[in-house]
Amino acid sequence: MNRIVAKRVVTTFHSFKVVRRGLSNDAVIGANSPSTNDQVNTAYKEKLDLTNDPYDIAVVGGGMVGMAFACALSSMPLTKQLNVAIIDSNPALGKQDNIKKDDLPDPRVSTVTPAAISFFKDIGAWQYVLQHRHAYFDKMQVWDYTGLGYTRYTASDVETDILGCVVENKVLQSSLLSCLQNTEFQKTVYPSRLTSMTVGLPTQPNSATSGIAKLDLSDGNSLFAKLVVGADGGKSRVRELAGIKTTGWNYSQNAVICTVKHAVENHCAWQRFLPAGPIALLPIGDNFSNIVWTMSPKEASDCKAMSEDDFLKAVNHALDYGYGPHPQSNSDGYSGDHSWEVPPNVIELASERMVFPLSLKHAKDYVANRVVLIGDAAHTVHPLAGQGVNLGFGDASALSKIIADGVAVGADLGELSLLKKYEAERKPANLMMAAILDGFQKAYSVDFGPVNILRAAAFQVAHYVSPLRRNIISYATGRQKWPLLF
């Protein structure tokens, strides 16, 4: 039995507790003399190395979406008693909050929508975000390099205070970890990687049920779970092992990201569509902004290799007078907030330049027997609207509520019929957003006179037709689930 206990070697981080269950056969089958059936069941469990009870849920992937899902479970009365394993080899999961206020902003950021902010508040994580650098913005300006049209969106258009908040990914991750550490939620972290998975193992001999899942880890440990949640990113091992196929394609584009500095603080999100792809300038606080610049792989390689001075000139050229003229402001009937403005000048590069390839990928199924996918494991989209992680947070929120509903009626958490409810809620919404973003990517990758005029007309319609502008804002910020035509 000592061999069996020793195989469950996990690392306990701060308030993460190792839940010790079934330390002897007596604890499993009772102290009284066992019946023949009990002896058979016990022998079967020992053969599977199942003398310890399975976890209710194993979350594979401790990134932002996986941790948000775990926090959501910990925040609800019906699910906070569940026993959860988190599998991730990222050493950051074992560290205290070590983000210093004078650290320069990391170039990896997320634009968190109001809907996602509400989710973070509900699960108790937003209070930790507010302790670190973040930047709310209430205006967004989008325009085309041809100078034929532009659109300005403001929070006042939908009678709210903000359009979103830009936060470094490490701050979101740290805040979720702090949230989870400060609960009595039963969670065990396995600092390892998933290597193989067997689904449908019956817990008793000759059982007709769909059984449980066995997960084998890279450090030699194994564990069992009633439900496996794949939150392990675009190259999901869970998705691969579950045999779930994907559809999609690679864009012939890379994104260059970095942190830059201004002489003044930026409070607006800016995006300009250029011939090779959009460039976005997002406020991050303390006179810093984040650059997300989409371009061809060759241009991205050149951009990363050029000197700092040349890069800053290229950024200012792309955001201001380069490629084409400024749009003509015409704010008749609007306040000055709807007039076109020149973005703040970039004066300093404040981080390394990082390059990522861009792709669209969508899982054909979000669920399988005892398996469910969330976040990038289920879908990856073009970053031009900053929707990727927000879709993942939507997944985490929806799945946690469906699991709570299942607990309320005593359902098997890995039962396919329960998991299909999650797929029915999230898959159509994620497909719609992916299709819209893909359409934008294709529409703005064409430099052709008639197409340019049509794009300019679309900008003008969005700018001057108030109901349409409000609908676009509400959909992009998560205030409504479907775009106008739905």
Side-chain angles (χ1 to χ4, degrees), residues 21-71:
R21 305 178 301 279
L23 296 181
S24 70
N25 285 343
D26 286 346
V28 177
I29 63 175
N32 297 326
S33 177
S35 67
T36 301
N37 286 339
D38 288 337
Q39 289 176 331
V40 171
N41 291 341
T42 300
Y44 179 79
K45 289 182 177 182
E46 287 184 338
K47 183 179 179 180
L48 288 181
D49 196 14
L50 190 55
T51 48
N52 287 321
D53 291 338
Y55 288 98
D56 294 307
I57 300 173
V59 182
V60 182
M64 293 183 290
V65 173
M67 292 297 284
F69 171 68
C71 286

Side-chain angles (χ1 to χ4, degrees), residues 311-474:
F311 178 73
L312 294 179
K313 289 177 183 176
V315 169
N316 287 321
H317 181 77
L319 286 168
D320 189 359
Y321 48 81
Y323 301 94
H326 293 169
Q328 295 297 311
S329 293
N330 184 353
S331 57
D332 292 344
Y334 297 106
S335 68
D337 279 347
H338 290 88
S339 297
W340 188 87
E341 296 178 11
V342 178
N345 197 53
V346 172
I347 62 172
E348 183 182 327
L349 180 64
S351 77
E352 64 174 316
R353 283 159 278 181
M354 305 176 73
V355 178
F356 298 97
L358 303 181
S359 63
L360 181 148
K361 185 181 293 184
H362 200 274
K364 293 185 177 179
D365 298 293
Y366 281 18
V367 302
N369 185 29
R370 305 253 165 226
V371 174
V372 60
L373 304 178
I374 61 176
D376 283 0
H379 45 77
T380 57
V381 297
H382 197 284
L384 64 86
Q387 291 294 329
V389 75
N390 293 291
L391 297 179
F393 291 147
D395 294 345
S397 176
L399 181 60
S400 64
K401 291 174 182 176
I402 286 169
I403 287 176
D405 292 342
V407 172
V409 297
D412 179 350
L413 299 185
E415 183 62 38
L416 199 57
S417 60
L418 178 68
L419 302 179
K420 282 288 186 180
K421 295 178 181 179
Y422 158 75
E423 183 178 74
E425 178 177 345
R426 292 302 301 165
K427 188 177 180 180
N430 291 337
L431 274 172
M432 175 60 69
M433 181 62 78
I436 290 172
L437 297 178
D438 185 61
F440 267 99
Q441 189 276 334
K442 288 177 168 55
Y444 287 93
S445 296
V446 178
D447 186 13
F448 179 58
V451 176
N452 294 344
I453 293 172
L454 287 174
R455 287 200 306 252
F459 273 122
Q460 296 294 81
V461 170
H463 186 71
Y464 288 109
V465 179
S466 297
L468 176 60
R469 189 172 66 253
R470 287 195 296 268
N471 185 273
I472 292 171
I473 295 171
S474 295

Side-chain angles (χ1 to χ4, degrees), residues 15-161:
S15 67
F16 285 90
K17 300 175 182 178
V18 178
V19 182
R20 301 186 181 277
R21 305 178 301 279
L23 296 181
S24 70
N25 285 343
D26 286 346
V28 177
I29 63 175
N32 297 326
S33 177
S35 67
T36 301
N37 286 339
D38 288 337
Q39 289 176 331
V40 171
N41 291 341
T42 300
Y44 179 79
K45 289 182 177 182
E46 287 184 338
K47 183 179 179 180
L48 288 181
D49 196 14
L50 190 55
T51 48
N52 287 321
D53 291 338
Y55 288 98
D56 294 307
I57 300 173
V59 182
V60 182
M64 293 183 290
V65 173
M67 292 297 284
F69 171 68
C71 286
L73 293 179
S74 73
S75 69
M76 294 186 291
L78 286 171
T79 56
K80 66 181 181 181
Q81 303 303 323
L82 296 177
N83 205 349
V84 174
I86 301 172
I87 302 166
D88 196 302
S89 59
N90 184 359
L93 289 182
K95 294 180 180 179
Q96 291 276 18
D97 181 358
N98 60 353
I99 301 175
K100 298 180 176 61
K101 291 187 180 297
D102 56 351
D103 285 347
L104 291 174
D106 191 270
R108 289 161 293 197
V109 305
S110 295
T111 303
V112 187
T113 63
I117 292 172
S118 295
F119 171 56
F120 265 61
K121 289 178 178 178
D122 290 343
I123 65 178
W126 195 249
Q127 59 180 317
Y128 300 104
V129 173
L130 297 178
Q131 296 172 12
H132 301 285
R133 183 190 292 112
H134 60 282
Y136 292 108
F137 62 93
D138 60 1
K139 296 184 292 293
M140 182 174 184
Q141 178 174 291
V142 185
W143 72 108
D144 188 85
Y145 69 93
T146 63
L148 297 176
Y150 76 98
T151 302
R152 293 269 297 188
Y153 303 108
T154 68
S156 60
D157 289 332
V158 289
E159 299 179 346
T160 188
D161 295 326

